[in-house]
Amino acid sequence: MTIQEQYDLLEKTVRGYNPAADFAQIRAAFDYADKCHEGQKRKSGEPYIIHPLAVAQIVAEELKLDSESIEAALLHDVIEDTAATHEDVAKLFSPTIADLVEGVSKLTRIQYATKEDEQMENLRKMLIAMSKDIRVILIKISDRLHNMRTMEYQSPAKQKQKSLETMEIYAPIAHRLGMQRMKWELEDLSLKYLDPIGYDEIVSKLGEKQQEYEAFMQRTQQQIDERLNELGIQHIVYGRMKHPYSIYRKMFNQNKSLDEIFDLFAFRVIVENVGDCYNVLGVIHDIYKPILGRFKDYIGTPKPNGYQSLHTTVMGTDGYPFEVQIRTREMHEIAEYGVAAHWKYKQNGQGAGTEGRYEWVRRLLENQEGADAEDFIHSLKVDMFSDEVFVFTPNGDVQNLPAGATPIDFAYAIHSAVGNHMVGAKVNNRIVTFDHILKNGDIVEILTSKAAKGPSRDWMKIAKSSEARSKIRQWFKKEKKAENIVNGRSAFEAELKHCGLSMKDVAASENLPGLLKKVSYSSLDEMYAAIGYGGFTAQKAVSRMQGELQRIAKQHQIEQQALEAAEQPAGKHEEPAPAPKHVKSEQGIIVEGLDNCLVKFSKCCTPVPGDEIVGFITRGYGVSVHRADCPNAARRDDPEQAGRWIKVSWGSDTNDSYPTILEVICKDRANLLLDISAALSTTNTFVLGINTRSTEDGFALCRVEVRVRDGLQLKTLMNKLNQISGVLRVTRPAG
Ligand code: MN
């Protein structure tokens, strides 16, 4: 093909999809490039202009881009490789075209190092350049595709280097932008130079079986075609072999031979509407047996890059499994040409606005300057788009937030202070509400004011990130302490009142330390503050203090009644004193003159019914009952304590049993404990514990804790213990 023929083909191709293209300008661009590159030769020996012409052909044929892109493709090497300047191109064509050419040149200038890190760094730089106008990267990928197609003329070292670069950088970008056809070709061409043996093996094996495979594919295509025609479903169906690199990767990853590769074949059915996609799926599953677990509905759930299709794998009649992809025409175009398809739709006025779906990709890439290159590669390789959203600060820094995030999340992600002083938010320069859901690529600006009131409690419900919520909670904890204390106090007092408890008792200096211990706060204000910001509740506080407060209330009652009794001179009762039998006992104890008195038995002398006893009015714990012979009770004549000792007696309704302690002193010998246990068991004594220790001089001291009904049972037990051989003494300790 002569150069003129090649140019004519280009015009024809452009005319085919864009009859309104500016052919005069395209011609001018070709002539200018031809003149600039005059005398330059490619490695193949052909005139250099062959290359820009071929790149423009790819841009037209594969990507169907606009006039400006065709012109820029024709001119893409003039700034880099000839005397022409940006200014020249801007003047002769347009500033936009000059920018496109300059953009492609910048990418060309990037020197790829062998180190992976630097490659990543360069990739990042390249992506930044690309983001200025997506057409730059589309032309650059077309340029690389043509270079790969003509790589045979380069040195082996250059072939390897360019192939690696293509595999690592350009193919993934083509994939990310949804340009599958170009991606496959880039991968296959790279593989050819990176692993010539592997590539040749696949290509030659596919060649050997070509006839068999082709016959199979033809038959299958015919079967599907006929069936869909019968049903009157408008469609296009065609089959393809998996491309060599995808087979290579499967063989390599799964360590399989070519024959073992599960699905070498893929068929594609393109229909008019989404409904037909599912109809066709039904038909396919009717003709062929579907392979379980291989159906994927990317129409219902599109891939993050916007890809839509139904995928299923079925078993063919010849025992070859194959994949079927079913999609509409529009889904197909987007899958094949990705961003370029959107570009085309926008340009032709049809499907306008769909480009906006990809707008954020460009802006995301544009704003990567401050980010760590490796992080970016990572996020590019992983499917980062499903549960995260990427937005920009006005400075172009990227903020990574959970999907569904709002300006509140953004503000707190920047800094707590930004969130706490936020008074408004702008997204893409427009004021939005705080619950506005952020989208990828949004530029978010937070309006702050020193006079801001701070966050509202509603923000906690609006915020999507736990980070924002916890920072808001922190603010309420710290900044609003005074308010929290007031709110917390009133909540606490209301709850106390609700439970019939007294605030006076809580605040009393002798009660407070014990009560605060119950709730683990160092002061009431601390507790109120916690209740106020939501870290603790009034209900919990009161329920933890309740038992203690009830005891205190009872104690007040005792003291009150004791006081009243003392004030009434003896014999001047206006009403007859109640008969003793009417007096209610508490745990079998009657406290003289007091009903419902809290009673506890002293630990020092453990009295049981029958013992002579006295009572002591404690501070806050009711009446403590001692044996009259307890050394602690000996102080009842002490004038200091005179008022606190009170007469108590055993009532007729004593408890079933009382705990008490015996001490047994005996000569230490074998089986002593066994004998003591036997004595306890023959007297049916309930044992709480036995503790024995030997003294240095051959004696054993045995402390027995038991429960007994009364003094009589205790006496019997003591006699029994005394009869044990070696026992010297059995006593009831006191004091
Ligand atoms: Mn080039």
Side-chain angles (χ1 to χ4, degrees), residues 361-381:
V361 174
R362 187 180 63 78
R363 277 200 266 143
L364 174 69
L365 299 168
E366 189 178 322
N367 285 275
Q368 282 298 325
E369 205 142 20
D372 185 68
E374 209 161 328
D375 274 357
F376 183 55
I377 297 298
H378 180 74
S379 59
L380 203 78
K381 279 183 178 170

Side-chain angles (χ1 to χ4, degrees), residues 48 51 76-77 143 147:
Y48 194 85
H51 169 66
H76 83 266
D77 277 332
D143 175 41
N147 284 335

Side-chain angles (χ1 to χ4, degrees), residues 96-336:
T96 306
I97 291 172
D99 286 346
L100 290 174
V101 174
E102 179 66 37
V104 176
S105 301
K106 269 187 193 159
L107 303 188
T108 307
R109 256 173 249 147
I110 291 168
Q111 291 299 305
Y112 295 94
T114 42
K115 271 189 181 176
E116 198 180 0
D117 279 359
E118 294 190 28
Q119 284 212 349
M120 286 179 177
E121 181 68 14
N122 288 329
L123 168 63
R124 186 172 65 85
K125 282 180 188 162
M126 194 187 68
L127 295 174
I128 295 160
M130 148 195 172
S131 64
K132 294 209 171 109
D133 188 321
I134 197 116
R135 290 176 292 182
V136 170
I137 195 68
L138 298 177
I139 294 166
K140 183 65 201 174
I141 290 172
S142 302
D143 175 41
R144 175 52 59 106
L145 182 55
H146 185 247
N147 284 335
M148 289 303 296
R149 282 177 182 171
T150 54
M151 194 52 74
E152 62 197 281
Y153 302 105
Q154 299 288 346
S155 68
K158 189 126 188 179
Q159 286 172 346
K160 280 240 153 65
Q161 185 220 328
K162 290 285 173 194
S163 296
L164 197 64
E165 215 174 272
T166 302
M167 194 69 105
E168 294 281 315
I169 297 167
Y170 290 99
I173 291 172
H175 172 70
R176 184 54 71 181
L177 298 179
M179 301 181 294
Q180 297 314 316
R181 280 177 45 152
M182 293 177 81
K183 176 207 161 198
W184 290 334
E185 193 177 348
L186 289 168
E187 284 175 343
D188 287 347
L189 289 167
S190 302
L191 179 64
K192 188 172 154 186
Y193 296 103
L194 291 173
D195 184 355
I197 296 168
Y199 177 81
D200 284 345
E201 190 191 326
I202 290 169
V203 171
S204 72
K205 275 201 176 166
L206 290 179
E208 275 169 30
K209 292 210 171 185
Q210 198 176 1
Q211 283 197 336
E212 187 186 334
Y213 288 162
E214 274 177 2
F216 163 73
M217 290 184 66
Q218 215 172 351
R219 263 197 314 281
T220 307
Q221 180 170 336
Q222 213 173 342
Q223 281 171 338
I224 297 172
D225 208 27
E226 278 170 11
R227 195 62 174 271
L228 292 180
N229 282 336
E230 274 170 36
L231 294 165
I233 298 173
Q234 265 207 30
H235 68 279
I236 297 165
V237 58
Y238 58 90
R240 61 175 175 85
M241 295 282 301
K242 281 262 154 81
H243 73 112
Y245 179 66
S246 94
I247 294 170
Y248 179 84
R249 216 176 39 208
K250 278 203 172 180
M251 287 170 67
F252 191 81
N253 285 348
Q254 301 174 6
N255 202 18
K256 282 179 175 168
S257 72
L258 186 61
D259 302 322
E260 293 169 315
I261 295 294
F262 196 51
D263 39 5
L264 282 177
F265 313 96
F267 285 85
R268 188 167 288 149
V269 184
I270 295 161
V271 293
E272 293 302 308
N273 55 57
V274 173
D276 275 350
C277 291
Y278 292 96
N279 288 333
V280 171
L281 180 74
V283 171
I284 299 290
H285 283 182
D286 190 40
I287 311 176
Y288 309 102
K289 194 170 153 20
I291 292 168
L292 283 178
R294 298 271 304 186
F295 170 63
K296 290 189 190 83
D297 182 356
Y298 294 119
I299 291 179
T301 325
K303 284 191 182 178
N305 65 2
Y307 176 85
Q308 288 188 297
S309 235
L310 297 177
H311 288 190
T312 187
T313 302
V314 297
M315 190 54 81
T317 43
D318 302 73
Y320 291 123
F322 62 92
E323 187 182 61
V324 185
Q325 300 178 348
I326 307 160
R327 51 174 80 144
T328 66
R329 194 185 300 275
E330 193 190 345
M331 290 172 193
H332 178 64
E333 296 239 344
I334 290 166
E336 292 288 286

